[in-house]
Amino acid sequence: MNVRILKDEKAVARAVAARVIATLADRPAAVLGLPTGRTPIQLYAHLRAAYASGRVDFSKATTFNLDEFLGLAPDHPASYRAFMETHLFAHVNLSRRRIHFLNGVTSDPAAECVRYEKAIARAGGIDLQILGIGGNGHIGFNEPASGLLSDSHPARLEPGTRRSNADLFGGRVEAVPREALSMGVGTILRSKAVILVATGAGKADAIKATVQGLVTTRVPASLLQLHGAVEVVVDEAAAAGLVGR
Ligand code: PGA
């Protein structure tokens, strides 16, 4: 894995934004895989600013988000779709029909996941997948387990994952859904290129295990070691556990 260690969160956001901007300059119709969470907030701020100053054009781009809570409608204020509207979609010239999301209020979660896989394939696959990482090593909502489903699937959230999402629900952990829909690790590994982003000391153990540990479904992000084009972009704090960096 190619690991890039930058000074702080700001530098990380700037570098990843530059990569997205370069991808779209090179390939205006690129297919982007997008994450939610605290980590990409500054990235999306950079992309909004770049759009406002004419440095990036999303008009031909397609997006697929990684995951969504089961039971939340797209316009629910705590949905990941609403997060994306707030931080990016409402501010840039993405075509609405090329924004793709797993539907949290589907009546048939399994069929919804099949639909999503087909939509990704029909778009030609994901060119650049951007990922955050959980403190437990999860990517998307692929939580540590003895085995993982490869394709998009309904997923149960770990207590720690629900706690780290509580802010979206006014700090009420009990309000965070127990289930979600998520791209699978196989979906992610089919992307042509992947950028894993992590900042802060709380991610140091997960980054060490991901980059220098065994490939194991107990650390879902470690499966990215099997992909030939992954860049891990981290700040000094998240890189603190890496040996020989
Ligand atoms: P965070 O979440 O950016 O809020 O830390 C990342 C993740 O859990 O994937």
Side-chain angles (χ1 to χ4, degrees):
M1 280 180 172
N2 180 8
V3 182
R4 201 165 155 200
I5 303 170
L6 301 172
K7 184 165 166 279
D8 53 21
E9 200 179 348
K10 271 201 177 108
V12 167
R14 209 178 308 119
V16 179
R19 179 79 185 275
V20 173
I21 293 166
T23 298
L24 288 170
D26 184 47
R27 188 169 178 163
V31 179
L32 304 173
L34 299 176
T36 50
R38 277 173 293 277
T39 311
I41 288 177
Q42 287 198 36
L43 160 67
Y44 295 141
H46 276 286
L47 292 178
R48 293 197 304 272
Y51 173 70
S53 60
R55 286 179 287 128
V56 64
D57 175 17
F58 291 91
S59 65
K60 297 193 172 63
T62 294
T63 67
F64 286 90
N65 263 82
L66 270 170
D67 43 19
E68 179 60 284
F69 293 110
L70 205 50
L72 297 198
D75 61 354
H76 188 291
S79 72
Y80 280 170
R81 174 63 194 241
F83 174 100
M84 290 305 301
E85 288 294 334
T86 301
H87 290 282
L88 186 68
F89 296 162
H91 310 277
V92 299
N93 65 339
L94 270 165
S95 160
R96 292 271 138 189
R97 68 194 161 84
R98 285 195 285 272
I99 292 173
H100 299 271
F101 242 89
L102 284 153
N103 176 12
V105 286
T106 176
S107 59
D108 187 342
E112 170 60 7
C113 291
V114 170
R115 179 196 69 79
Y116 208 56
E117 289 292 334
K118 284 187 177 154
I120 294 171
R122 210 177 310 119
I126 293 169
D127 293 307
L128 178 63
Q129 174 70 58
I130 300 165
L131 299 173
I133 182 170
N136 64 0
H138 76 200
I139 45 177
F141 279 132
N142 296 280
E143 302 281 36
S146 58
L148 290 171
L149 288 164
S150 175
D151 288 350
S152 295
H153 58 274
R156 263 197 97 68
L157 308 189
E158 282 202 347
T161 299
R162 293 179 65 226
R163 274 196 299 279
S164 71
N165 277 277
D167 284 356
L168 291 170
F169 297 83
R172 294 168 49 244
V173 185
E174 65 282 5
V176 181
R178 292 173 189 278
E179 288 180 290
L181 300 176
S182 180
M183 284 188 194
V185 173
T187 321
I188 292 166
L189 289 175
R190 283 190 287 279
S191 306
K192 290 170 195 100
V194 178
I195 302 183
L196 179 73
V197 189
T199 56
K203 300 294 171 66
D205 289 347
I207 287 297
K208 178 176 169 46
T210 295
V211 175
Q212 296 181 331
L214 297 175
V215 174
T216 168
T217 58
R218 294 284 173 201
V219 182
S222 70
L223 293 161
L224 296 170
Q225 291 180 31
L226 303 174
H227 192 290
V230 176
E231 185 166 32
V232 179
V233 184
V234 289
D235 65 0
E236 292 281 356
L242 294 176
V243 177
R245 66 199 172 96

